[in-house]
Amino acid sequence: MTTRGRTLLALALTALAASSAADAVTGGPPLESLYGAYEVIGRGAGEHGELYRGWVRLAIEGGQIEMDRCIDGRHTTGLGREVLRGADELRAIEFRYDQRDVATVASCIVTSDFDNLPRFSCYVTPGNAPAIAVPGIETYFPIVWPVALDYFDCR
């Protein structure tokens, strides 16, 4: 291979690596497509984490995700943002909120369900113990309209 051929190959590989890194940040659905309401099921962190259910509504404002959350009749709010997670630096959404008066962090991967709607799969940890041995888990399922008007009454 000639020097020119090596140079072109090196440039092509550099461009491919840069494009793969950019895809890791921007890959997946745009933030605006996450707007909406979701049914939530989860299990708390720890060996004997409690099961829970409720709903979450997400709104996008200025590149930040605002969360309105009702779990087992308790209403809270939180914020989310895009982050890179894992050795492969995959795009994830990180939410921060209080759950039962404990600062909580949920790191979520967003995929599509069978109807091409967003679905979240999350690891949930206390904010002060991100390396907990048994993290909690949550899944957000999109709510398809219509729903009863009192569905979002958090009691």
Side-chain angles (χ1 to χ4, degrees):
M1 184 178 274
T2 67
T3 304
R4 181 173 180 207
R6 285 189 198 121
T7 303
L8 289 175
L9 179 61
L11 287 172
L13 291 175
T14 303
L16 179 62
S19 120
S20 295
D23 287 347
V25 176
T26 61
L31 276 183
E32 292 75 22
S33 71
L34 306 180
Y35 181 92
Y38 299 85
E39 185 84 25
V40 175
I41 57 171
R43 178 187 46 82
E47 296 258 342
H48 305 287
E50 298 178 17
L51 299 178
Y52 56 86
R53 63 180 294 267
W55 55 260
V56 167
R57 286 187 293 196
L58 302 178
I60 314 304
E61 287 293 326
Q64 185 165 274
I65 306 168
E66 297 176 357
M67 172 187 272
D68 187 29
R69 185 178 166 90
C70 180
I71 303 297
D72 291 336
R74 294 181 172 187
H75 181 260
T76 58
T77 59
L79 295 174
R81 64 187 179 101
E82 289 183 286
V83 296
L84 299 177
R85 289 283 185 254
D88 291 333
E89 294 191 337
L90 298 175
R91 177 180 177 241
I93 306 293
E94 179 184 272
F95 293 107
R96 292 183 176 271
Y97 53 88
D98 286 344
Q99 183 162 307
R100 298 184 187 233
D101 299 323
V102 174
T104 302
V105 176
S107 296
C108 307
I109 296 293
V110 182
T111 58
S112 293
D113 68 6
F114 297 117
D115 292 321
N116 207 26
L117 297 170
R119 181 174 297 169
F120 293 73
S121 298
C122 311
Y123 283 113
V124 181
T125 60
N128 62 355
I132 191 168
V134 182
I137 54 173
E138 284 187 351
T139 301
Y140 300 4
F141 297 92
I143 296 174
V144 180
W145 305 99
V147 295
L149 292 177
D150 64 348
Y151 182 85
F152 295 110
D153 187 10
C154 189
R155 290 183 214 185

